[in-house]
Amino acid sequence: MERAEKWMLGGTLVLAIIVMETILFGGLGLGVVAGVIAYFVCLGLFSKLYNRAMSKLAKWLMIPIVLSTLCFVIFGNTVLRGFNIIFLAILILLHALEVFGKCEQAAFLPAWVGEVLSLGITLPFASINKPVVLVKDELGTGQKRNMKVIGKVLLGVVIATPILLVVVGLLASADAAFEGIINFAFQNLTFNFDKLGAKSFFVVVLFFMFFSYFYGLSHKEVREVRENYIDPQRARDSLLMEDESERILNEEHDLINQEDSVVNQPGIYLDFVVVSTIGTLLCLVYLIFCCSQLAYFVSAFKGVLPADFSSSEYARRGFFETLPIVGFNLLTIMFLSYVTKREKGKKNTYIKVMISFITGFTAFMVTCALSKMFLYMERYGLSLWRVYVAWFLVLSLMVVILVFAKVFWQKLRLIKIVFIVFTVMYLGLNYSNVDYLVARQNVNLYKQGKTSDLSGCYNLSSSALGPIKELVASHPEVLEYQEDMYYDTATYILSRLEYNLQNEKWQAFNLADYRGRAYLEKIKEAGYESIEGAVRPLVFLR
């Protein structure tokens, strides 16, 4: 067993214990920060042992990794914390692949996406039996003496246990202070064997997965060795400068995207007449649909609610009508762009006209859905799900525009720009403290007499307690019991928030909960009393 492999065995075991204790059995707060720090300590150690260094992209990826990690210790939004775990895991995977140079393809190319997905799935499992093999080989090379020493130590512990129990009992009977310490230990440090068994199981699973992950990153045999394969890490260590290598890759990518080369590439292409027929019929259907539903779509821009529609139904229909159309049309645009023969002249222009019409129709649908949602927000205020839907529609609109730009500007690095746009928008959603904004807007509507309840404050985290505290101070009547609006009253919402703040583990600590507990104490001084059995209602879209 090599020295680096011994360090990897010990490091991944410690990492598995830390992740289990801080995240799985701790909480999505400060524990996530501790787990991420432990991971990067292991990554730094292993990269040093295998002479790996961070590339330019890996250094840039550290910015969103740090920002998304800090979200766990600053904010308390439950939905975003769940997505943050997925987002952070993807960023960490991309960073590790760059550090160890595992990707053969240049970053942010279509083939690179498939390679990242493949490695992300296979790395934690491809070498999952390797720790057993390494330990077995180590024991077979004359290291049995160490195991004998460990066995003797365990035997000594077994023999010493009853002796220590007798000695501790004698000392406890002789000294009251020592007896108090022993009593405290048995009363407060008792073991929960059910939880201990679950923790042991997860430690074992995490250990094998972490070891397979890091072993796969640092060794080539996990990935199929291709003919004439050039290790990206060796390329970085060669005499060529990194910027020069990136320039060469970009030039090769531009060359591939040139129309003349695309025409001669092997692949499955459809005849121009077939494609133009499909595209023309699709555009005709979209045109008829727009003309027949124009008044329905445009009414949102005028702030007019159509007859037989409520604001919530109008907004919901706008979203669920748009979602499948956006997905289908994006696939259609890619179909027209990459499967069609790259015709020149008028034929090429006609294809681009069809793509432009489909893109315009898609953007129009997304904009209409946004207008319907804004109309809903204007009448009934903000809620978490309304903000999420609006954010998703804005992101969809930007992706549609970027895909359209890619058709006319082949040099555009579409995947890279979409990744940057998504990262910036997603981190912006986190750091906007959406729970506080929703609570602030609903409290202002209540003060202005535009709403009689706090229904918009459903599903908010402890960040909402600041505005609610101010409302209770200026309008104490919000604490009064109202049977007809039980779930929309401030008392019920406060009771649910108080219930959610009962987790006082250090791993679950975040600044929003810390400030929320202080706000809650001040609200109690104003006459608030919690409702027994207040539970969090399951509300998907309000």
Side-chain angles (χ1 to χ4, degrees):
M1 188 187 306
E2 298 178 358
R3 173 173 169 268
E5 292 172 341
K6 294 180 180 179
W7 276 101
M8 189 173 292
L9 281 171
T12 50
L13 178 59
V14 173
L15 178 61
I17 295 173
I18 292 175
V19 170
M20 177 276 300
E21 192 65 36
T22 58
I23 300 178
L24 294 184
F25 287 85
L28 298 181
L30 187 59
V32 176
V33 178
V36 171
I37 291 175
Y39 166 83
F40 277 101
V41 169
C42 289
L43 183 71
L45 173 63
F46 302 150
S47 61
K48 185 176 181 180
L49 290 172
Y50 288 96
N51 297 319
R52 305 298 186 184
M54 284 200 296
S55 65
K56 186 177 180 181
L57 176 59
K59 294 177 181 178
W60 278 107
L61 285 172
M62 286 302 299
I63 296 176
I65 287 174
V66 172
L67 291 176
S68 58
T69 303
L70 290 177
C71 288
F72 291 97
V73 78
I74 298 176
F75 309 107
N77 186 296
T78 304
V79 175
L80 290 181
R81 280 191 295 185
F83 284 107
N84 284 344
I85 287 289
I86 301 174
F87 181 62
L88 184 60
I90 294 173
L91 291 177
I92 286 176
L93 173 64
L94 295 179
H95 178 270
L97 294 177
E98 279 296 309
V99 171
F100 286 92
K102 294 296 292 184
C103 292
E104 299 179 14
Q105 304 294 332
F108 301 112
L109 293 180
W112 173 83
V113 176
E115 191 174 14
V116 168
L117 291 175
S118 176
L119 289 171
I121 295 172
T122 59
L123 281 177
F125 306 101
S127 302
I128 203 165
N129 66 327
K130 201 64 179 179
V132 178
V133 175
L134 291 175
V135 173
K136 185 178 180 180
D137 292 342
E138 184 71 8
L139 294 177
T141 57
Q143 300 297 326
K144 295 182 179 181
R145 182 176 64 255
N146 294 335
M147 298 302 297
K148 291 182 178 179
V149 173
I150 295 175
K152 292 178 181 180
V153 171
L154 293 176
L155 179 61
V157 171
V158 172
I159 296 173
T161 300
I163 300 174
L164 291 175
L165 291 176
V166 173
V167 173
V168 168
L170 294 174
L171 293 175
S173 62
D175 183 75
F178 186 74
E179 182 182 11
I181 295 174
I182 297 301
N183 290 334
F184 175 82
F186 279 100
Q187 292 174 4
N188 297 280
L189 300 179
T190 55
F191 290 99
N192 187 329
F193 288 99
D194 292 337
K195 183 176 290 188
L196 184 62
K199 288 184 176 181
S200 301
F201 171 77
F202 280 107
V203 166
V204 172
V205 172
L206 289 174
F207 164 69
F208 280 99
M209 292 182 65
F210 280 141
F211 187 89
S212 175
Y213 171 77
F214 284 112
Y215 191 87
L217 287 172
S218 55
H219 293 73
K220 295 179 183 178
E221 56 264 33
V222 173
R223 182 181 55 197
E224 180 183 357
V225 179
R226 302 182 184 179
E227 185 179 359
N228 300 325
Y229 168 70
I230 300 176
D231 187 355
Q233 186 63 33
R234 292 184 178 179
R236 293 192 185 99
D237 297 336
S238 65
L239 297 177
L240 293 176
M241 298 294 292
E242 186 179 30
D243 294 339
E244 183 67 14
S245 300
E246 185 176 355
R247 184 185 64 80
I248 294 173
L249 288 172
N250 289 336
E251 289 179 354
E252 293 176 351
H253 175 58
D254 295 341
L255 183 62
I256 292 175
N257 285 324
Q258 290 180 0
E259 293 185 354
D260 292 340
S261 61
V262 172
V263 171
N264 297 321
Q265 286 181 359
I268 300 175
Y269 298 103
L270 294 182
D271 183 77
F272 169 76
V273 176
V274 176
V275 173
S276 61
T277 302
I278 296 173
T280 301
L281 292 175
L282 184 63
C283 291
L284 183 61
V285 171
Y286 284 160
L287 182 62
I288 296 173
F289 179 78
C290 281
C291 294
S292 62
Q293 298 289 324
L294 188 61
Y296 166 75
F297 288 130
V298 178
S299 60
F301 292 104
K302 300 179 180 179
V304 178
L305 186 66
D308 301 327
F309 277 98
S310 63
S311 297
S312 60
E313 183 184 2
Y314 193 43
R316 287 192 188 98
R317 285 195 59 176
F319 175 73
F320 289 111
E321 287 171 350
T322 303
L323 188 61
I325 291 177
V326 170
F328 176 78
N329 283 353
L330 286 176
L331 293 176
T332 302
I333 293 172
M334 288 187 285
F335 167 78
L336 292 174
S337 302
Y338 296 105
V339 181
T340 307
K341 288 182 178 181
R342 299 302 177 88
E343 304 287 349
K344 294 183 178 180
K346 295 182 179 180
K347 294 182 178 180
N348 184 277
T349 302
Y350 186 76
I351 294 175
K352 291 184 177 181
V353 168
M354 289 191 297
I355 293 175
S356 301
F357 181 86
I358 295 173
T359 304
F361 173 78
T362 308
F364 174 74
M365 291 291 293
V366 174
T367 306
C368 288
L370 268 174
S371 301
K372 296 173 186 178
M373 184 55 63
F374 289 148
L375 178 63
Y376 186 25
M377 292 178 178
E378 183 181 353
R379 296 195 176 193
Y380 294 98
L382 298 177
S383 72
L384 282 181
W385 291 106
R386 295 166 200 167
V387 174
Y388 295 154
V389 169
W391 178 88
F392 180 80
L393 289 173
V394 172
L395 176 65
S396 301
L397 182 60
M398 297 189 69
V399 171
V400 169
I401 294 174
L402 289 172
V403 171
F404 176 70
K406 174 68 175 178
V407 175
F408 292 89
W409 187 26
Q410 291 294 324
K411 293 183 179 181
L412 183 70
R413 302 291 296 273
L414 178 63
I415 298 176
K416 181 178 181 179
I417 296 177
V418 169
F419 175 79
I420 294 173
V421 169
F422 176 83
T423 301
V424 172
M425 287 189 62
Y426 184 72
L427 291 175
L429 180 65
N430 276 273
Y431 279 89
S432 65
N433 198 1
V434 63
D435 295 75
Y436 175 85
L437 296 177
V438 170
R440 170 62 63 190
Q441 202 253 8
N442 279 274
V443 165
N444 290 337
L445 289 176
Y446 186 91
K447 290 180 179 180
Q448 297 168 7
K450 296 182 178 180
T451 181
S452 58
D453 57 56
L454 296 176
S455 59
C457 293
Y458 268 91
N459 299 327
L460 297 185
S461 68
S462 52
S463 298
L465 284 169
I468 294 178
K469 176 185 74 69
E470 298 176 7
L471 178 63
V472 170
S474 59
H475 295 72
E477 70 275 5
V478 297
L479 296 176
E480 297 177 0
Y481 177 78
Q482 302 178 40
E483 186 174 359
D484 58 334
M485 295 188 303
Y486 173 73
Y487 292 105
D488 297 335
T489 59
T491 301
Y492 179 84
I493 294 172
L494 289 170
S495 299
R496 182 186 59 77
L497 289 172
E498 184 178 6
Y499 176 81
N500 292 339
L501 290 174
Q502 291 179 359
N503 187 357
E504 296 184 357
K505 293 182 178 180
W506 70 266
Q507 298 97 322
F509 172 85
N510 63 71
L511 294 176
D513 289 351
Y514 177 77
R515 290 193 299 263
R517 291 187 180 94
Y519 289 145
L520 198 58
E521 291 300 320
K522 294 182 179 179
I523 294 173
K524 287 181 179 179
E525 295 175 0
Y528 155 71
E529 294 182 1
S530 62
I531 302 174
E532 291 294 333
V535 295
R536 185 172 186 170
L538 188 62
V539 180
F540 291 102
L541 187 63
R542 288 184 64 93

